Amino acid sequence: MVVMKTKLLIFGITGDLSTRKLLPAIHRIVATEGYDDMEVIGVSRREVDVKALLAGALGTDEDAERFSIFSMDLANQEEYARLREYIALGDDEQLLVYLSVPPQAATQIVDFMGAAGLTSPNVKLLFEKPFGVDLTSAEEMIARTARYYDESQLYRIDHYLAKEMAQNIVALRGGNALFSHLWNNTAIEKIEVIAREKIDIEGRAQFYEQTGALRDIVQGHLMQLLALTLMDIPPQFDWDELPARRQEVLAHLRPADPAKARRAQYEGYREEVGNPKSRTETFVSVELTSDDPRWANIPLRLITGKALDKKSTEVRVHFRKIHEAQSNCLVFRIQPDEGVEIELFTKKPGYEREFEKRQLMFSYPEQTVLPDAYEQVLVDAIRSRKSLFTSSSEVVASWRVLQPLLSAWEMDDRTIQMYTKGEATHTICSVE
Ligand code: BG6
């Protein structure tokens, strides 16, 4: 595939995300995909020693000549004309602008870049979540960006969509008749999307206090995994249709019912964030329903929490029990231990005619290297492929579903349920 020469502009190049994920991802895609002519420009308020930055992030500074730093005051509109001159984008080049900065800063940068005329169709904007904090703010953000940029230029990153096993949900469903025949509410009884985290908020007190588990994980990551699980996969399916297909699923979800949601907080969280009255949830369980006839009347549960007993993200599809046969559960193991698992009932070896529960499993061979989600998003943005990115209408649809919970919780001054760090999900709320 022929791609234009890429100039990658990174706002927030010295930040945590950049040094942990972005710089290593750039290093690897240059090595594997051969984007030898890629230039990386880091934008920063202060002078940055590129060699030291790379050595810290990658353990080597050997690729330093690819990088340069443009120092500027991000809040000063006039400096964006200077930035534009520095980039000197040619017609046969593309500019990827990676906004690895908090949302308010990103919105302002987009305004200033737009006003400075950095808007030609060969400019692409890569946003990090959160995409707004509620329905209204998301709509405002989208409208502001639309003043200068077309939807085709926007690449909103939800790194869960880029996980290999998330993409594999689509491949397994589309590529295997076994699943296609059974993909409806006649055969399926309920679906659970569960993301357990062992880590706590890891010192991100300010961010987390304003965010909470619903906004941090459910609004993007879990809604997207649910959409991949429920979406229509027509014959001759084209991966570029993915955002539109996911959007259809989200549009069919009914607004969440606060009576069917639970939130909880781990003990010690309030001390950690220095707010003895905090009601920010570190655990959430939400039951949704769809008005799509194919999925009507079955519970769609999304569950996530921090400081739980283990790290595990999975989509659990529970099949209905029929006649004497037992019900089965199909599990897409998103991480860790990426793979698929089916709970089957088999004959227990021996003289009796008894059943026993066994697992049919698929895991990748040990030597398989699964590309990191950030490598996947960079490669796809360079190639103008949109399937791993969240469209504006998906963002709005997802907030619309969850808004009733945000509104109800804001008004609710009852004490929040507490759980001990390291607790199992099913002891906080029932999970199968
Ligand atoms: C991020 C959240 O989007 O995803 C974090 O902000 C969370 O709070 C992280 O820990 C989990 O990502 P992963 O890839 O480790 O499951």
Side-chain angles (χ1 to χ4, degrees), residues 157-211:
I157 297 167
D158 182 316
H159 77 284
Y160 268 52
L161 279 176
K163 289 188 188 278
E164 193 63 33
M165 268 311 295
Q167 298 182 57
N168 218 346
I169 294 178
V170 181
L172 285 157
R173 287 189 46 211
N176 297 285
L178 171 70
F179 298 127
S180 320
H181 288 304
L182 298 173
W183 224 250
N184 53 57
N185 57 1
T186 312
I188 292 172
E189 184 174 50
K190 73 173 166 201
I191 293 175
E192 293 169 321
V193 185
I194 309 173
R196 304 175 179 91
E197 288 196 272
K198 206 170 157 65
I199 53 167
D200 58 20
I201 62 161
E202 293 189 307
R204 297 153 83 204
Q206 200 196 355
F207 161 79
Y208 208 85
E209 245 319 72
Q210 293 164 2
T211 309

Side-chain angles (χ1 to χ4, degrees), residues 256-311:
D257 175 359
K260 296 211 164 149
R262 290 270 287 277
R263 58 175 172 160
Q265 188 186 74
Y266 65 78
E267 284 162 4
Y269 172 82
R270 290 177 181 176
E271 291 72 24
E272 212 172 327
V273 299
N275 177 7
K277 292 198 179 137
S278 172
R279 282 199 305 275
T280 301
E281 76 288 353
T282 59
F283 177 95
V284 54
S285 154
V286 188
E287 188 177 304
L288 300 174
T289 48
S290 168
D291 62 18
D292 177 349
R294 186 176 175 188
W295 298 114
N297 301 321
I298 68 164
L300 309 165
R301 273 186 90 188
L302 310 180
I303 300 170
T304 188
K306 288 218 180 266
L308 298 174
D309 57 338
K310 58 181 172 188
K311 167 94 177 165

